């Protein structure tokens, strides 16, 4: 009888101790991070879906810019073939390769958008202006999604490294830090120079 009463008293304390060690919080934070990564991928997919329309619009005007158009098409193909699953987020090399493919596409799009300067009638075309606006909005959404992902990564990585959650993270889940999204474009920390 004494054993049962001690067990009855110990059970709530054991449950409280487990709750304080991140048993539920760690997987919740990890799933939140994976969901934020899915948002990043969703925004990149949105951009990839817009590119064929942009290329088709410009192609009608800029037949002399074939190499630029080919470069955008090739960069888009490479960027859409490169994927990083939520399980790969702990591998910095895979995350960097994904970022490099996306940065290559961003560079090609920059060249494509500069084509409008050589074709004044393209600047006034409503289809081009609408697609350019959509692309700008998409780039902003990508930036927000990457920022949200990095915030979730920071929360998760902090949680698995701080006491007492770090004990549960290592023993129960074998948790590893997740790789944040970083700027990999050359001189990304410097603002671009605008010349008129």
């Amino acid at each position: 009888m004494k054993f049962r009463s001690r067990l009855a008293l110990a059970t709530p304390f054991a449950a409280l101790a487990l709750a304080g060690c991140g048993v539920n919080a760690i997987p919740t934070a990890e799933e939140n991070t994976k969901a934020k990564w899915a948002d990043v991928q969703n925004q990149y997919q949105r951009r990839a879906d817009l590119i064929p329309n942009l290329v088709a619009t410009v192609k009608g005007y800029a037949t002399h810019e074939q190499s630029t158009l080919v470069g955008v098409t090739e960069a888009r193909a490479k960027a859409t073939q490169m994927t990083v699953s939520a399980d790969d987020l702990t591998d910095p090399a895979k995350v960097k390769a994904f970022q490099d493919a996306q940065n290559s596409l961003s560079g090609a799009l920059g060249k494509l958008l500069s084509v409008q300067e050589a074709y004044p009638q393209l600047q006034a075309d409503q289809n081009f202006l609408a697609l350019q606006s959509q692309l700008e909005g998409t780039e902003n959404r990508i930036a927000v999604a990457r920022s949200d992902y990095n915030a979730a990564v920071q929360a998760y990585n902090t949680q698995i490294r701080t006491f007492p959650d770090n004990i549960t993270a290592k023993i129960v889940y074998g948790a590893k830090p997740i790789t944040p999204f970083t700027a990999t474009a050359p001189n990304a920390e410097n603002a671009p120079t605008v010349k008129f």
Side-chain angles (χ1 to χ4, degrees):
M1 215 41 167
K2 275 187 165 181
F3 177 73
R4 283 189 177 169
S5 63
R6 287 184 183 166
L7 184 61
L9 287 173
T11 301
F13 291 114
L16 185 60
L18 283 175
C21 290
V23 171
N24 292 325
I26 292 169
T28 301
E30 183 180 23
E31 291 304 316
N32 181 47
T33 303
K34 289 177 180 179
K36 298 297 184 187
W37 180 249
D39 290 343
V40 170
Q41 290 180 313
N42 179 47
Q43 294 307 323
Y44 279 131
Q45 183 62 50
R46 182 178 191 274
R47 176 174 71 175
D49 292 344
L50 281 173
I51 290 171
N53 294 325
L54 181 61
V55 169
T57 301
V58 174
K59 196 179 276 188
Y61 289 101
T63 54
H64 299 91
E65 301 295 335
Q66 192 65 28
S67 64
T68 300
L69 298 172
V70 169
V72 169
T73 304
E74 289 173 354
R76 176 188 176 267
K78 183 178 178 184
T80 56
Q81 288 174 357
M82 179 67 187
T83 60
V84 174
S85 72
D87 295 331
D88 295 332
L89 295 176
T90 57
D91 185 347
K94 288 183 180 179
V95 173
K96 182 177 181 339
F98 180 82
Q99 289 175 269
D100 290 345
Q102 294 302 327
N103 288 338
S104 175
L105 178 55
S106 294
L109 284 172
K111 288 178 186 175
L112 177 63
L113 292 175
S114 69
V115 166
Q116 70 174 328
E117 295 172 12
Y119 298 91
Q121 69 274 25
L122 182 59
Q123 291 180 17
D125 183 75
Q126 293 302 311
N127 291 330
F128 181 79
L129 294 175
L131 286 169
Q132 188 177 13
S133 175
Q134 286 290 322
L135 201 53
E136 180 183 346
T138 299
E139 293 299 320
N140 289 337
R141 289 178 185 191
I142 289 170
V144 169
R146 287 190 295 206
S147 178
D148 290 348
Y149 168 72
N150 281 346
V153 167
Q154 179 186 11
Y156 174 77
N157 288 346
T158 301
Q159 186 165 15
I160 67 169
R161 293 179 55 217
T162 55
F163 184 81
D165 291 347
N166 64 339
I167 296 167
T168 304
K170 288 178 185 169
I171 294 172
V172 177
Y173 298 111
K176 295 178 183 175
I178 291 178
T179 305
F181 207 97
T182 57
T184 57
N187 300 318
E189 68 279 0
N190 299 327
T193 303
V194 179
K195 295 180 183 177
F196 293 101

